Structures are given as C-alpha cells and as structure tokens.
Amino acid sequence: MTTHHPDLSTLMSYSAGSLPDAIATVVAAHLSVCNHCNRHVHEAEQIGISLLEELEPAAMSSSAKGDILALLDNTEQAPAESCEEKTLPDDADVPAPLRPLLGYYLDDLHWKSMAPGLKQFILPASGSKLRLLKIAPGTCMPSHGHTGSELTMVLKGSYSDELGRFCAGDVADLDPDVQHQPVADTHEGCICLIATDAPLRFNGLVPRLLQPFFQL
Ligand SMILES: [Zn+2]
C-alpha cells in the first residue's frame, strides 16, 4: 500500500508521452505497483482520446500516406510473451518495467561504493540520469537541493526526510525548490530508483568536491 504518489501533473505528462525518458521509467515502475495512479493515468488517456476525437480530420498527402504504409510494413511484430515470463520467481525484487535492463534481483547488480554506507548503480544508457542508490541502515545522505526535477521510488526498505517517511512503492516527486536530507531507516537498508533531469545541488563542501567523480 503506497502513500506517496507522483504529482497529478507528472501522471498527466506521462500519459501524454511528454516526460523525459528517465522520469517516465520511474513512473512506469510505480504504476506497476500502484492501482491508484493507474486509474489517474487511464482517466488522462481517456481525456486525450476524447480531445483527439473532437479534432477536424485533415487531408493527408499521398506521399505521407505512402510513408506511413511503408513504416507499418517494416514494423516487426512484437514477440509473443515467453513462457519464462509466466514462471517468474515470486521473490524477484526488480520492478517489472526494469527487468529487461536489470534482470530480476537487485543484489545481483554491480554496485559501486561511493561513501561508507552508500552504493550506487547507474543504469546503462541513461546518461547518468537514472540510478539506483543503496543506503545502509541509519545512513544519512548529504543534504542537497535540485537544479531540476527529481523523481525517486523506494524499491526496498524505507527512508525519512523533511517530507515524511517513504516505504517500498512510494514515490517522492520533488520540485527544484525542495531541499532535503534523506536518512535510511535503521531496521533495514534502503534501495531507491532515482531519476533526475539536472545535477543535484549539494550544500556541504565534501559532497560538492566528490560530485564530479560520481556523476551526481
Ligand atoms: Zn501511485
């Protein structure tokens, strides 16, 4: 049961297909576990469809029509869902939308140590905009602000910050003006999926000096 969700505007942008890839990936991961947000996205899609239906049809040139037909001819059929997909282990802890990229288990990733109690894994081909952070129990992240949006989903464990307590499935949808210092709860470490569309803004000198080395 999740209690923190993406903003409605984020879900609307997701349904319109206008979010940056990294942010859209975190929304997709959250939608895989949240019926509440799935309903909002479905409603937004219905609004989009009814708006499209009200548009006057426009005539299409014969060359554009030919291009589209050629494109459809070249589109490969998606392979049928494999049987393997249906016999997934119940204990897989990677959200379904990320499994093609990460496999099934968070522990199997090649985590890179950043500081005591803090490890990260940057998702391949994300241009360092999408990362996983593994925070040991009770570890405090450096206080930071943002120069752009940040969307974080908790995959395992929990953390607390100025905005509340975030547990597995919860999402923090942060605007550039939010300043926070997440602390992993003490009973279990925390693994988060984090999308940023601009670098973080650290307050302390040491995190600022380390920032270029960890592509934060
Ligand atoms: Zn939700």
Side-chain angles (χ1 to χ4, degrees):
M1 184 71 193
T2 49
T3 52
H4 298 276
H5 307 271
D7 290 343
L8 197 51
S9 60
T10 304
L11 295 174
M12 297 284 281
S13 301
Y14 176 85
S15 78
S18 58
L19 286 179
D21 286 348
I23 305 263
T25 303
V26 179
V27 174
H30 177 71
L31 289 173
S32 72
V33 298
C34 183
N35 289 334
H36 171 84
C37 288
N38 266 305
R39 276 196 296 278
H40 282 308
V41 168
H42 181 69
E43 282 162 13
E45 283 166 354
Q46 295 306 309
I47 292 169
I49 290 168
S50 56
L51 286 174
L52 274 179
E53 283 171 352
E54 281 175 20
L55 289 176
E56 288 290 326
M60 189 185 266
S61 71
S62 56
S63 64
K65 201 171 171 181
D67 288 347
I68 288 175
L69 290 174
L71 197 66
L72 288 173
D73 282 344
N74 291 333
T75 304
E76 282 181 28
Q77 290 288 319
E81 195 177 298
S82 70
C83 300
E84 204 183 340
E85 196 69 28
K86 295 194 178 76
T87 53
L88 268 183
D90 289 340
D91 59 347
D93 53 10
V94 171
L98 295 175
R99 287 175 192 160
L101 287 171
L102 301 179
Y104 297 116
Y105 298 102
L106 294 168
D107 281 343
D108 290 348
L109 299 174
H110 294 289
W111 294 92
K112 190 173 168 188
S113 205
M114 299 172 70
L118 193 59
K119 291 179 178 176
Q120 80 167 342
F121 176 86
I122 296 180
L123 273 80
S126 74
S128 81
K129 289 181 173 158
L130 194 56
R131 71 189 66 231
L132 292 161
L133 274 190
K134 192 181 204 176
I135 314 166
T139 299
C140 198
M141 287 279 293
S143 171
H144 62 276
H146 309 91
T147 51
S149 304
E150 178 185 298
L151 196 66
T152 297
M153 177 178 168
V154 178
L155 302 184
K156 237 182 175 178
S158 57
Y159 76 82
S160 299
D161 67 5
E162 291 80 347
L163 303 173
R165 180 159 184 252
F166 293 78
C167 301
D170 281 338
V171 161
D173 195 345
L174 302 179
D175 294 328
D177 55 341
V178 174
Q179 182 78 31
H180 71 148
Q181 183 164 31
V183 184
D185 289 332
T186 49
H187 64 287
E188 187 187 3
C190 183
I191 296 180
C192 297
L193 172 67
I194 302 168
T196 43
D197 63 4
L200 302 182
R201 201 179 59 240
F202 288 100
N203 302 319
L205 177 63
V206 173
R208 279 214 304 276
L209 291 174
L210 291 174
Q211 189 164 22
F213 298 101
F214 295 113
Q215 304 169 48
L216 285 168

